[in-house]
Amino acid sequence: MLCTRLTNARFLTMDPGRPVAHDLGIWRGRIVGLDEAVTSLPAREIVDLQGATVLPGFIDAHVHLAWTGFKQTTPSLAGLTRVDDVLAVVAEAVARTRAPGDWVSVVGYDQRALGRHLTAADLDKVSDGRRLYLLHDSGHGCVVNTAVLDLLPAGIPHENGFLAEQAMGAARALRPPHSQEDLAEAIGRAARTCLAEGVTACAEAGIGGTLFGHSPVELGAYQLARDEDLLPLRVQLMVSADRLRPVAAQETDGIPRALDLGLRTGFGDDRLSVGALKVWTDGGMMARTAALTSPYEGLDHAGQLQDDPEVLTNLIVDGHLAGWQLAVHAIGDRAADIALDAIERAQRMRPRPEARHRIEHAGLIRPDQLPRMARLGVSAVVQPGFLRCFGDDYASIMGELRAPWMYRGKAFLDHGIPLVGSSDRPVADGSPLRAVQFMVERASVSGRRIGPEEAVTLDQALHAYTVAGARACHWEDRMGSLTPGKHADLVVLADDPRYVDTSRIGDIDVVETYVAGHPARPRD
């Protein structure tokens, strides 16, 4: 007997062996059959989906759940365009604290909206003895007041209170870590937001590290969230590469650096597991710190790397030798060169054809880099929402020649490079459907077409958020398509994206999200 039979629907299975079905049977959280294989079987529950369209649950291969959850409850500067209004919000946040010396966090900072960076002197006017930390929306910088600058180790560079990349990490390190309980609550809030948008599985893009870590025991917070039923979707955790340390392993193991006990990619189960090793090589376009081979338009610099190229290369190589899948953050083309050089060196030293190393973002990839990515077998884990939300700005700072190379689609597929969809939430909009719409039409929210030659078909865009996402996370035997034997993770849509105008794909309602065969309704 089936646990559940879903009927009267258009199942777009993403399985080329059987692309469409009308009935789907579920037993103990798994898909057991389609159409004639299940229509005559008894079931404890029969759900009439009334003609809805059903897809495999979306897989977001690059998110920041804890950051998303905290951002939802932290004072925000989003949408403000005047310095005085920003300072008023900060002053209000300060007023809610208890005593001098308290830390005050504010999110949503973006110098582009203000026309200039805030300074420590600006913040000092409203700090009232508190330590102020305004996180840049990109996650690659912050502005702090003098009370924080006075605590930083000597030699930490800043521009009148604005700290970027590793300098920002030094400021983060001064703050008390979040408790596991607070982290678990934040993770749960973000997970519920994902579910509401049809996401059933995601990869958390870097825990425990200097740049984005929230606690030295952050992995435990995810276990706590699971134990307390706050984690309603499947999560794979990328571990920040700066958590590796030298180990005296057996010489024949060839492992120079590792996590304690040799923990690496693949540990865990279907609900919570350890994924790739996250390596940051550069910053971001929004903060103007993505590392380019030639300067930004209108600026006299080309961004920055996170460290000396040889240091970054050795870190990537050591991660590969220790058995990790690599997820290398590389937004600028110079950073991509560093990543590809290191991956090539690592594969020469110890070939691992099925490592499935990934370039996270691949934000600016020159034409000459495409064949090399294909040869090395790396995936491009892109964020279409970046160009949808910020494309006008990004195109202006890249210039006419480079703008078509940003967050490519078709060129990756034409070269045989796996194209994987993701959001990087909360940096940009997390909706997979709105990202799919952008991939097909390549239009920003203003309507500007950005690299229209990089547009892909609807099927290719959906593939990026289902089948390709599963493969990038080594999940292809368990999810990514509505195939018998796989998890019954699926999203029920009010309309069929194949039959609505492209401009309406992002507005299709998510009616229900199923995880392991059960409706995963977000809790209030």
Side-chain angles (χ1 to χ4, degrees):
M1 174 180 284
L2 299 173
C3 295
T4 307
R5 178 160 59 86
L6 304 179
T7 187
N8 188 20
R10 290 189 296 274
F11 292 93
L12 308 184
T13 68
M14 303 306 296
D15 181 347
R18 185 160 199 165
V20 181
H22 53 76
D23 275 33
L24 181 144
I26 300 169
W27 185 69
R28 293 190 176 182
R30 298 268 181 170
I31 300 168
V32 295
L34 300 166
D35 292 350
E36 67 278 358
V38 297
T39 52
S40 62
L41 296 179
R44 295 194 187 104
E45 180 183 29
I46 298 175
V47 180
D48 184 344
L49 293 176
Q50 301 181 340
T53 297
V54 182
L55 281 159
F58 296 124
I59 296 171
D60 191 333
H62 185 120
V63 302
H64 299 277
L65 290 178
W67 178 12
T68 298
F70 283 128
K71 187 173 182 178
Q72 290 171 341
T73 58
T74 302
S76 176
L77 308 174
L80 300 181
T81 59
R82 297 175 63 249
V83 171
D84 287 348
D85 292 340
V86 166
L87 295 180
V89 170
V90 176
E92 190 176 326
V94 166
R96 290 198 292 268
T97 59
R98 295 180 180 178
D102 284 351
W103 283 86
V104 177
S105 294
V106 180
V107 298
Y109 172 67
D110 188 345
Q111 84 287 354
R112 299 171 304 171
L114 302 175
R116 68 171 178 88
H117 272 300
L118 290 179
T119 67
D122 290 328
L123 297 183
D124 289 343
K125 298 174 186 176
V126 295
S127 60
D128 194 25
R130 275 61 168 179
R131 299 165 182 172
L132 305 187
Y133 185 97
L134 278 60
L135 180 63
H136 195 275
D137 243 358
S138 67
H140 288 272
C142 65
V143 181
V144 300
N145 64 339
T146 301
V148 176
L149 293 178
D150 289 344
L151 297 174
L152 289 171
I156 297 296
H158 68 90
E159 297 179 16
N160 298 317
F162 178 72
L163 299 99
E165 309 304 342
Q166 295 299 326
M168 178 196 71
R172 287 180 70 107
L174 297 171
R175 302 166 59 190
H178 291 284
S179 70
Q180 286 197 344
E181 183 177 350
D182 286 348
L183 273 163
E185 290 288 344
I187 291 162
R189 280 193 296 275
R192 295 190 292 274
T193 301
C194 291
L195 279 177
E197 296 177 338
V199 175
T200 57
C202 65
E204 163 67 57
I207 63 169
T210 300
L211 286 180
F212 288 91
H214 297 89
S215 165
V217 290
E218 192 168 357
L219 192 151
Y222 281 86
Q223 291 180 287
L224 179 62
R226 174 179 168 159
D227 293 345
E228 297 190 350
D229 198 26
L230 296 172
L231 198 62
L233 44 71
R234 305 181 195 279
V235 178
Q236 188 178 86
L237 303 172
M238 301 184 204
V239 176
S240 295
D242 56 5
R243 302 301 297 175
L244 297 186
R245 62 179 183 85
V247 292
Q250 166 58 242
E251 184 177 349
T252 56
D253 289 338
I255 300 175
R257 281 188 272 187
L259 291 185
D260 288 341
L261 303 180
L263 188 72
R264 59 175 173 81
T265 301
F267 184 82
D269 59 24
D270 287 342
R271 296 304 291 246
L272 182 64
S273 61
V274 174
L277 187 73
K278 179 69 178 295
V279 184
W280 279 270
T281 63
D282 69 343
M285 289 186 187
M286 192 189 307
R288 310 322 194 214
T289 54
L292 313 177
T293 51
S294 57
Y296 290 89
E297 288 287 313
L299 299 177
D300 60 358
H301 69 86
Q304 64 189 81
L305 296 171
Q306 293 286 355
D307 211 324
D308 179 83
E310 193 60 26
V311 171
L312 295 172
T313 297
N314 289 338
L315 186 57
I316 291 168
V317 170
D318 286 355
H320 173 91
L321 295 178
W324 287 89
Q325 179 189 22
L326 298 169
V328 185
H329 168 114
I331 292 184
D333 59 329
R334 184 184 178 210
D337 282 334
I338 298 289
L340 295 173
D341 286 347
I343 290 171
E344 185 165 25
R345 180 192 295 186
Q347 290 284 21
R348 281 200 309 266
M349 294 173 67
R350 183 176 297 166
R352 289 174 51 212
E354 277 304 304
R356 298 186 195 173
H357 296 323
R358 307 158 39 145
I359 302 295
E360 306 299 302
H361 308 296
L364 188 75
I365 298 297
R366 302 186 310 268
D368 65 285
Q369 292 173 315
L370 293 166
R372 192 175 185 204
M373 289 181 67
R375 178 168 53 82
L376 291 173
V378 300
S379 298
V381 183
V382 300
Q383 297 75 41
F386 279 14
L387 291 189
R388 181 180 175 274
C389 297
F390 317 126
D392 295 357
D393 173 61
Y394 286 12
S396 68
I397 60 171
M398 288 300 107
E400 186 176 351
L401 174 65
R402 293 180 294 185
W405 304 345
M406 294 190 299
Y407 297 93
R408 292 176 179 271
K410 186 175 185 296
F412 286 138
L413 295 177
D414 286 349
H415 283 80
I417 299 165
L419 175 65
V420 182
S422 69
S423 68
D424 202 18
R425 80 167 75 225
V427 178
D429 177 15
S431 164
L433 285 171
R434 286 192 284 272
V436 164
Q437 177 179 320
F438 175 84
M439 295 174 79
V440 175
E441 65 180 4
R442 299 287 297 192
S444 70
V445 290
S446 74
R448 178 174 178 173
R449 300 288 301 281
I450 301 171
E453 64 275 15
E454 291 293 339
V456 300
T457 68
L458 175 63
D459 283 347
Q460 289 169 334
L462 292 173
H463 187 277
Y465 274 89
T466 54
V467 178
R471 185 181 182 279
C473 296
H474 291 269
W475 282 334
E476 71 274 13
D477 61 333
R478 288 164 277 174
M479 60 189 90
S481 65
L482 302 181
T483 303
K486 294 189 177 183
H487 294 305
D489 297 350
L490 45 90
V491 55
V492 182
L493 303 178
D495 289 296
D496 189 331
R498 299 173 302 172
Y499 300 127
V500 302
D501 188 90
T502 301
S503 63
R504 289 190 53 235
I505 292 173
D507 297 324
I508 295 175
D509 288 334
V510 173
V511 176
E512 191 70 88
T513 304
Y514 282 73
V515 177
H518 298 286
R521 295 182 177 91
R523 300 188 319 182
D524 293 333

PDB file of all heavy atoms in Angstrom, residues 184-210:
ATOM      1  N   ALA A 184      20.368  28.368  15.850  1.00  0.00           N
ATOM      2  CA  ALA A 184      19.360  27.397  15.413  1.00  0.00           C
ATOM      3  C   ALA A 184      18.051  28.101  15.054  1.00  0.00           C
ATOM      4  O   ALA A 184      17.397  27.753  14.063  1.00  0.00           O
ATOM      5  CB  ALA A 184      19.128  26.358  16.505  1.00  0.00           C
ATOM      6  N   GLU A 185      17.657  29.087  15.836  1.00  0.00           N
ATOM      7  CA  GLU A 185      16.442  29.835  15.530  1.00  0.00           C
ATOM      8  C   GLU A 185      16.580  30.585  14.210  1.00  0.00           C
ATOM      9  O   GLU A 185      15.648  30.614  13.390  1.00  0.00           O
ATOM     10  CB  GLU A 185      16.133  30.812  16.668  1.00  0.00           C
ATOM     11  CG  GLU A 185      15.679  30.151  17.952  1.00  0.00           C
ATOM     12  CD  GLU A 185      14.271  29.572  17.850  1.00  0.00           C
ATOM     13  OE1 GLU A 185      13.530  29.939  16.915  1.00  0.00           O
ATOM     14  OE2 GLU A 185      13.915  28.743  18.715  1.00  0.00           O
ATOM     15  N   ALA A 186      17.739  31.202  13.984  1.00  0.00           N
ATOM     16  CA  ALA A 186      17.966  31.933  12.733  1.00  0.00           C
ATOM     17  C   ALA A 186      17.956  30.989  11.540  1.00  0.00           C
ATOM     18  O   ALA A 186      17.379  31.298  10.481  1.00  0.00           O
ATOM     19  CB  ALA A 186      19.297  32.690  12.804  1.00  0.00           C
ATOM     20  N   ILE A 187      18.595  29.845  11.688  1.00  0.00           N
ATOM     21  CA  ILE A 187      18.615  28.849  10.615  1.00  0.00           C
ATOM     22  C   ILE A 187      17.195  28.405  10.285  1.00  0.00           C
ATOM     23  O   ILE A 187      16.815  28.274   9.112  1.00  0.00           O
ATOM     24  CB  ILE A 187      19.490  27.649  11.032  1.00  0.00           C
ATOM     25  CG1 ILE A 187      20.962  28.071  11.102  1.00  0.00           C
ATOM     26  CG2 ILE A 187      19.304  26.473  10.080  1.00  0.00           C
ATOM     27  CD1 ILE A 187      21.839  27.116  11.912  1.00  0.00           C
ATOM     28  N   GLY A 188      16.395  28.190  11.315  1.00  0.00           N
ATOM     29  CA  GLY A 188      15.016  27.776  11.095  1.00  0.00           C
ATOM     30  C   GLY A 188      14.196  28.821  10.368  1.00  0.00           C
ATOM     31  O   GLY A 188      13.404  28.494   9.472  1.00  0.00           O
ATOM     32  N   ARG A 189      14.385  30.104  10.730  1.00  0.00           N
ATOM     33  CA  ARG A 189      13.658  31.174  10.036  1.00  0.00           C
ATOM     34  C   ARG A 189      13.988  31.174   8.551  1.00  0.00           C
ATOM     35  O   ARG A 189      13.109  31.285   7.689  1.00  0.00           O
ATOM     36  CB  ARG A 189      14.012  32.535  10.644  1.00  0.00           C
ATOM     37  CG  ARG A 189      13.294  32.867  11.925  1.00  0.00           C
ATOM     38  CD  ARG A 189      13.458  34.336  12.273  1.00  0.00           C
ATOM     39  NE  ARG A 189      14.843  34.720  12.540  1.00  0.00           N
ATOM     40  CZ  ARG A 189      15.439  34.599  13.720  1.00  0.00           C
ATOM     41  NH1 ARG A 189      14.774  34.093  14.754  1.00  0.00           N
ATOM     42  NH2 ARG A 189      16.685  34.994  13.879  1.00  0.00           N
ATOM     43  N   ALA A 190      15.276  31.079   8.256  1.00  0.00           N
ATOM     44  CA  ALA A 190      15.699  31.092   6.855  1.00  0.00           C
ATOM     45  C   ALA A 190      15.197  29.866   6.105  1.00  0.00           C
ATOM     46  O   ALA A 190      14.781  29.958   4.941  1.00  0.00           O
ATOM     47  CB  ALA A 190      17.224  31.165   6.777  1.00  0.00           C
ATOM     48  N   ALA A 191      15.230  28.710   6.768  1.00  0.00           N
ATOM     49  CA  ALA A 191      14.763  27.476   6.120  1.00  0.00           C
ATOM     50  C   ALA A 191      13.295  27.579   5.751  1.00  0.00           C
ATOM     51  O   ALA A 191      12.871  27.108   4.681  1.00  0.00           O
ATOM     52  CB  ALA A 191      15.015  26.285   7.035  1.00  0.00           C
ATOM     53  N   ARG A 192      12.505  28.195   6.609  1.00  0.00           N
ATOM     54  CA  ARG A 192      11.087  28.344   6.310  1.00  0.00           C
ATOM     55  C   ARG A 192      10.866  29.276   5.115  1.00  0.00           C
ATOM     56  O   ARG A 192       9.944  29.067   4.314  1.00  0.00           O
ATOM     57  CB  ARG A 192      10.333  28.838   7.552  1.00  0.00           C
ATOM     58  CG  ARG A 192      10.343  27.820   8.684  1.00  0.00           C
ATOM     59  CD  ARG A 192       9.402  28.199   9.802  1.00  0.00           C
ATOM     60  NE  ARG A 192       9.805  29.380  10.552  1.00  0.00           N
ATOM     61  CZ  ARG A 192      10.637  29.369  11.586  1.00  0.00           C
ATOM     62  NH1 ARG A 192      11.195  28.225  11.975  1.00  0.00           N
ATOM     63  NH2 ARG A 192      10.910  30.480  12.243  1.00  0.00           N
ATOM     64  N   THR A 193      11.701  30.288   4.988  1.00  0.00           N
ATOM     65  CA  THR A 193      11.627  31.160   3.814  1.00  0.00           C
ATOM     66  C   THR A 193      11.952  30.382   2.551  1.00  0.00           C
ATOM     67  O   THR A 193      11.285  30.531   1.521  1.00  0.00           O
ATOM     68  CB  THR A 193      12.604  32.345   3.970  1.00  0.00           C
ATOM     69  OG1 THR A 193      12.264  33.090   5.144  1.00  0.00           O
ATOM     70  CG2 THR A 193      12.546  33.263   2.762  1.00  0.00           C
ATOM     71  N   CYS A 194      12.969  29.530   2.615  1.00  0.00           N
ATOM     72  CA  CYS A 194      13.320  28.692   1.464  1.00  0.00           C
ATOM     73  C   CYS A 194      12.151  27.805   1.059  1.00  0.00           C
ATOM     74  O   CYS A 194      11.812  27.688  -0.127  1.00  0.00           O
ATOM     75  CB  CYS A 194      14.535  27.832   1.793  1.00  0.00           C
ATOM     76  SG  CYS A 194      16.096  28.723   1.987  1.00  0.00           S
ATOM     77  N   LEU A 195      11.540  27.157   2.041  1.00  0.00           N
ATOM     78  CA  LEU A 195      10.421  26.271   1.751  1.00  0.00           C
ATOM     79  C   LEU A 195       9.291  27.001   1.038  1.00  0.00           C
ATOM     80  O   LEU A 195       8.687  26.471   0.101  1.00  0.00           O
ATOM     81  CB  LEU A 195       9.874  25.674   3.050  1.00  0.00           C
ATOM     82  CG  LEU A 195      10.600  24.481   3.656  1.00  0.00           C
ATOM     83  CD1 LEU A 195       9.930  24.103   4.965  1.00  0.00           C
ATOM     84  CD2 LEU A 195      10.610  23.300   2.704  1.00  0.00           C
ATOM     85  N   ALA A 196       9.010  28.211   1.473  1.00  0.00           N
ATOM     86  CA  ALA A 196       7.915  28.967   0.877  1.00  0.00           C
ATOM     87  C   ALA A 196       8.173  29.270  -0.587  1.00  0.00           C
ATOM     88  O   ALA A 196       7.228  29.539  -1.348  1.00  0.00           O
ATOM     89  CB  ALA A 196       7.701  30.261   1.654  1.00  0.00           C
ATOM     90  N   GLU A 197       9.426  29.206  -1.019  1.00  0.00           N
ATOM     91  CA  GLU A 197       9.790  29.469  -2.406  1.00  0.00           C
ATOM     92  C   GLU A 197      10.086  28.197  -3.180  1.00  0.00           C
ATOM     93  O   GLU A 197      10.605  28.251  -4.291  1.00  0.00           O
ATOM     94  CB  GLU A 197      10.988  30.424  -2.458  1.00  0.00           C
ATOM     95  CG  GLU A 197      10.650  31.798  -1.888  1.00  0.00           C
ATOM     96  CD  GLU A 197      11.811  32.760  -1.846  1.00  0.00           C
ATOM     97  OE1 GLU A 197      12.978  32.317  -1.867  1.00  0.00           O
ATOM     98  OE2 GLU A 197      11.554  33.977  -1.785  1.00  0.00           O
ATOM     99  N   GLY A 198       9.762  27.046  -2.592  1.00  0.00           N
ATOM    100  CA  GLY A 198       9.902  25.784  -3.296  1.00  0.00           C
ATOM    101  C   GLY A 198      11.246  25.113  -3.174  1.00  0.00           C
ATOM    102  O   GLY A 198      11.505  24.117  -3.867  1.00  0.00           O
ATOM    103  N   VAL A 199      12.112  25.612  -2.302  1.00  0.00           N
ATOM    104  CA  VAL A 199      13.438  25.011  -2.110  1.00  0.00           C
ATOM    105  C   VAL A 199      13.325  23.886  -1.085  1.00  0.00           C
ATOM    106  O   VAL A 199      12.837  24.100   0.034  1.00  0.00           O
ATOM    107  CB  VAL A 199      14.459  26.059  -1.636  1.00  0.00           C
ATOM    108  CG1 VAL A 199      15.804  25.407  -1.319  1.00  0.00           C
ATOM    109  CG2 VAL A 199      14.631  27.146  -2.690  1.00  0.00           C
ATOM    110  N   THR A 200      13.772  22.707  -1.455  1.00  0.00           N
ATOM    111  CA  THR A 200      13.722  21.564  -0.546  1.00  0.00           C
ATOM    112  C   THR A 200      15.099  21.113  -0.076  1.00  0.00           C
ATOM    113  O   THR A 200      15.201  20.294   0.839  1.00  0.00           O
ATOM    114  CB  THR A 200      13.025  20.370  -1.213  1.00  0.00           C
ATOM    115  OG1 THR A 200      13.710  20.032  -2.430  1.00  0.00           O
ATOM    116  CG2 THR A 200      11.568  20.708  -1.523  1.00  0.00           C
ATOM    117  N   ALA A 201      16.149  21.622  -0.695  1.00  0.00           N
ATOM    118  CA  ALA A 201      17.513  21.272  -0.296  1.00  0.00           C
ATOM    119  C   ALA A 201      18.428  22.431  -0.654  1.00  0.00           C
ATOM    120  O   ALA A 201      18.205  23.131  -1.649  1.00  0.00           O
ATOM    121  CB  ALA A 201      17.986  19.993  -0.993  1.00  0.00           C
ATOM    122  N   CYS A 202      19.463  22.622   0.160  1.00  0.00           N
ATOM    123  CA  CYS A 202      20.387  23.723  -0.126  1.00  0.00           C
ATOM    124  C   CYS A 202      21.762  23.396   0.426  1.00  0.00           C
ATOM    125  O   CYS A 202      21.935  22.492   1.248  1.00  0.00           O
ATOM    126  CB  CYS A 202      19.870  25.035   0.475  1.00  0.00           C
ATOM    127  SG  CYS A 202      19.788  25.044   2.266  1.00  0.00           S
ATOM    128  N   ALA A 203      22.739  24.152  -0.047  1.00  0.00           N
ATOM    129  CA  ALA A 203      24.115  24.042   0.438  1.00  0.00           C
ATOM    130  C   ALA A 203      24.478  25.341   1.142  1.00  0.00           C
ATOM    131  O   ALA A 203      24.466  26.411   0.535  1.00  0.00           O
ATOM    132  CB  ALA A 203      25.076  23.767  -0.712  1.00  0.00           C
ATOM    133  N   GLU A 204      24.739  25.241   2.438  1.00  0.00           N
ATOM    134  CA  GLU A 204      25.158  26.386   3.249  1.00  0.00           C
ATOM    135  C   GLU A 204      26.618  26.703   2.919  1.00  0.00           C
ATOM    136  O   GLU A 204      27.503  25.865   3.087  1.00  0.00           O
ATOM    137  CB  GLU A 204      24.989  26.042   4.727  1.00  0.00           C
ATOM    138  CG  GLU A 204      25.725  26.941   5.694  1.00  0.00           C
ATOM    139  CD  GLU A 204      25.195  28.356   5.719  1.00  0.00           C
ATOM    140  OE1 GLU A 204      23.996  28.544   5.985  1.00  0.00           O
ATOM    141  OE2 GLU A 204      25.993  29.285   5.478  1.00  0.00           O
ATOM    142  N   ALA A 205      26.863  27.926   2.444  1.00  0.00           N
ATOM    143  CA  ALA A 205      28.137  28.230   1.773  1.00  0.00           C
ATOM    144  C   ALA A 205      29.222  28.759   2.697  1.00  0.00           C
ATOM    145  O   ALA A 205      29.783  29.829   2.472  1.00  0.00           O
ATOM    146  CB  ALA A 205      27.892  29.207   0.633  1.00  0.00           C
ATOM    147  N   GLY A 206      29.530  28.013   3.749  1.00  0.00           N
ATOM    148  CA  GLY A 206      30.712  28.358   4.526  1.00  0.00           C
ATOM    149  C   GLY A 206      30.430  28.594   5.993  1.00  0.00           C
ATOM    150  O   GLY A 206      30.006  29.683   6.369  1.00  0.00           O
ATOM    151  N   ILE A 207      30.656  27.579   6.827  1.00  0.00           N
ATOM    152  CA  ILE A 207      30.441  27.745   8.267  1.00  0.00           C
ATOM    153  C   ILE A 207      31.783  27.783   8.998  1.00  0.00           C
ATOM    154  O   ILE A 207      32.774  27.204   8.551  1.00  0.00           O
ATOM    155  CB  ILE A 207      29.576  26.622   8.850  1.00  0.00           C
ATOM    156  CG1 ILE A 207      30.266  25.256   8.708  1.00  0.00           C
ATOM    157  CG2 ILE A 207      28.203  26.608   8.199  1.00  0.00           C
ATOM    158  CD1 ILE A 207      29.583  24.148   9.502  1.00  0.00           C
ATOM    159  N   GLY A 208      31.802  28.504  10.111  1.00  0.00           N
ATOM    160  CA  GLY A 208      32.931  28.442  11.033  1.00  0.00           C
ATOM    161  C   GLY A 208      34.141  29.273  10.678  1.00  0.00           C
ATOM    162  O   GLY A 208      35.132  29.254  11.402  1.00  0.00           O
ATOM    163  N   GLY A 209      34.097  30.019   9.575  1.00  0.00           N
ATOM    164  CA  GLY A 209      35.292  30.714   9.134  1.00  0.00           C
ATOM    165  C   GLY A 209      35.366  32.163   9.576  1.00  0.00           C
ATOM    166  O   GLY A 209      34.467  32.703  10.221  1.00  0.00           O
ATOM    167  N   THR A 210      36.461  32.808   9.191  1.00  0.00           N
ATOM    168  CA  THR A 210      36.703  34.194   9.584  1.00  0.00           C
ATOM    169  C   THR A 210      35.707  35.147   8.941  1.00  0.00           C
ATOM    170  O   THR A 210      35.188  36.050   9.598  1.00  0.00           O
ATOM    171  CB  THR A 210      38.132  34.614   9.184  1.00  0.00           C
ATOM    172  OG1 THR A 210      39.068  33.753   9.840  1.00  0.00           O
ATOM    173  CG2 THR A 210      38.411  36.051   9.583  1.00  0.00           C
TER     174      THR A 210
END
